[in-house]
Amino acid sequence: MTLEDRYLENEYYTQDEHGDFELFDLGDFELARGQTLRDAKLAYQTFGDLNDEKDNAILFPHMYSGTHRDMERFIGEDMAIDPTEYFVILPNQFGNGLSSSPHNTPPQDGGMGYFPDVMIEDDIRAQHKLITEQFGIEELQLVLGWSMGAQQTYEWIVRYPDMVKRAAPIAGTAKVTPHDQLFIEAHKEMIRSDPAWNEGFYTEPHAVHTGLRRHALIWSVMGLSTQFYHQSEQAWERAGFQSVDDFMANFFEDWFLPMDPNNLLTMATKWQHGDVSRNTDGDLEAALGRIEAKVYVMPFEENMFFPVRDCKYEETMIPDSEFRPIPSLWGHFTMFGVFDEDLETIDEHISDLLNESV
């Protein structure tokens, strides 16, 4: 087997694991940083039917390390995002393992350690091609997303302001802060510190397990609130775990260990450089001032790397916006809806937004 022929087969990135999805062919896709992603593919899943007027679409991109599967918990006939009423598109970002990513791209086309730097705006331009060329959609009733999904939401409403009627950036910012950049660099370094990473040229899909465990450890510290672990709460027990060690092994490590390290690093680099002000020569206020959608900015109150004050700072620059912070011991991971009240609260806010006249 030559280098040119080699893929890293990883059973995690399959339809058996993530359910059905389609692939949209983007061809040779020019990236924001000037490189070209050869034979690029955008994976996506849909729910519901597009109506004849093509005006009932919702776009729901996902977070770091996720896929379309992780947003499906917010879609249902008894929920705000009702597939009997809306046509819901769940796009998979570049680098997530289902769309074009390091592990599924041959090295001569940029795979393995050669994968180009993709930016949030590359995902959004690819999604725009999907909804306009594949479906003929010219307006979106709602764009929403959590974390990196919030970054994508912000890029949508700044880059294509006339297409989006409503938006909900959840626990994320329009421009990454220096503190957040340092956090991302730390969790990237946890992966790269494993000698098995080998500058991205490992030859076994699960060789970098030590680095991924270190990566999971960083997330266990920063991803939740300090009160989650406090002896007065011991919230891990309510989530069904017997101890902190049990929670660490069967929540955080179980989440990250099946994944491809280069895929995670690709997404992390996008997150680290997220900045809608690139649309306005670095002027964030001008970028956010372009937004025409009705916006609910929805931070999580105990989030340690997208804190409420950072989200509020940006919300004040958005013309037609409301600030709706959500309390939960789960911090950044509130969106997982492990506690029923968290899922219900988020769904209520989405319902309110969809009922807004625009």
Side-chain angles (χ1 to χ4, degrees):
M1 180 175 65
T2 67
L3 180 66
E4 287 72 21
D5 295 329
R6 187 163 63 207
Y7 291 83
L8 274 181
E9 296 292 339
N10 187 327
E11 68 280 1
Y12 179 74
Y13 300 109
T14 63
Q15 292 193 348
D16 287 342
E17 181 71 26
H18 295 279
D20 292 340
F21 58 88
E22 304 292 331
L23 290 175
F24 178 62
D25 189 353
L26 292 158
D28 292 344
F29 190 72
E30 185 174 346
L31 301 172
R33 290 195 165 183
Q35 298 166 290
T36 298
L37 186 57
R38 306 289 178 190
D39 192 24
K41 300 288 192 299
L42 181 69
Y44 67 96
Q45 174 61 295
T46 64
F47 290 87
D49 296 310
L50 186 62
N51 63 17
D52 292 340
E53 294 79 17
K54 298 187 177 183
D55 64 357
N56 68 329
I58 291 175
L59 188 74
F60 199 167
H62 64 80
M63 74 295 190
Y64 172 78
S65 80
T67 72
H68 66 275
R69 174 194 62 179
D70 303 302
M71 301 298 97
E72 291 178 8
R73 72 195 70 201
F74 290 93
I75 302 169
E77 293 186 20
D78 58 345
M79 304 185 76
I81 303 177
D82 184 344
T84 66
E85 182 176 357
Y86 297 105
F87 178 60
V88 188
I89 306 167
L90 306 179
N92 290 269
Q93 60 173 288
F94 290 133
N96 83 330
L98 303 184
S99 294
S100 290
S101 305
H103 97 279
N104 64 20
T105 300
Q108 73 272 18
D109 290 336
M112 302 285 289
Y114 301 111
F115 201 74
D117 285 343
V118 288
M119 297 289 107
I120 294 289
E121 51 261 51
D122 296 319
D123 287 305
I124 273 50
R125 290 190 302 107
Q127 292 167 20
H128 182 268
K129 287 177 70 68
L130 170 69
I131 69 166
T132 57
E133 296 178 12
Q134 181 76 356
F135 298 113
I137 294 170
E138 296 182 357
E139 72 172 31
L140 294 164
Q141 289 300 321
L142 172 65
V143 178
L144 75 163
W146 160 46
S147 193
M148 281 190 75
Q151 289 183 305
Q152 294 172 75
T153 299
Y154 275 121
E155 184 70 28
W156 257 103
I157 56 180
V158 170
R159 181 173 287 267
Y160 303 112
D162 59 334
M163 289 187 66
V164 184
K165 302 299 184 184
R166 304 168 185 84
I170 304 169
T173 55
K175 180 176 182 176
V176 69
T177 65
H179 175 267
D180 207 21
Q181 288 176 327
L182 290 170
F183 165 69
I184 300 162
E185 191 63 27
H187 82 235
K188 289 168 67 176
E189 185 57 27
M190 294 302 98
I191 293 173
R192 297 184 303 223
S193 68
D194 187 339
W197 181 62
N198 192 31
E199 300 299 322
F201 292 98
Y202 45 89
T203 57
E204 298 296 331
H206 304 297
V208 195
H209 58 86
T210 298
L212 290 174
R213 283 189 170 89
R214 293 169 181 166
H215 182 75
L217 180 61
I218 289 283
W219 277 96
S220 72
V221 174
M222 290 291 291
L224 303 174
S225 69
T226 56
Q227 193 68 12
F228 182 94
Y229 294 107
H230 196 274
Q231 60 184 3
S232 65
E233 295 288 353
Q234 296 188 349
W236 66 83
E237 290 186 348
R238 186 180 165 201
F241 299 94
Q242 300 305 308
S243 65
V244 172
D245 288 343
D246 180 33
F247 178 62
M248 184 67 205
N250 293 295
F251 184 81
F252 280 105
E253 290 185 359
D254 184 66
W255 178 260
F256 285 112
L257 280 174
M259 299 179 186
D260 180 85
N262 282 337
N263 291 354
L264 291 172
L265 290 168
T266 293
M267 288 183 282
T269 297
K270 282 193 291 183
W271 171 7
Q272 199 169 30
H273 292 89
D275 182 2
V276 299
S277 73
R278 281 196 288 270
N279 291 283
T280 51
D281 297 322
D283 188 333
L284 181 61
E285 187 171 4
L288 297 177
R290 294 174 54 173
I291 295 171
E292 298 179 14
K294 175 64 180 181
V295 179
Y296 281 10
V297 175
M298 296 164 54
F300 298 143
E301 288 185 359
E302 298 287 348
N303 195 336
M304 285 195 278
F305 47 90
F306 290 119
V308 169
R309 67 175 65 89
D310 290 348
C311 298
K312 180 62 177 176
Y313 170 74
E314 294 180 343
E315 186 268 336
T316 61
M317 304 181 201
I318 300 172
D320 188 12
S321 63
E322 292 185 24
F323 196 62
R324 296 209 172 191
I326 297 170
S328 173
L329 295 176
W330 278 88
H332 190 65
F333 285 91
T334 298
M335 196 76 177
F336 275 161
V338 177
F339 292 170
D340 288 343
E341 64 265 26
D342 295 339
L343 184 65
E344 291 166 1
T345 299
I346 295 166
D347 189 64
E348 287 171 5
H349 287 310
I350 296 170
S351 178
D352 290 347
L353 180 54
L354 283 169
N355 287 325
E356 291 270 10
S357 297
V358 294

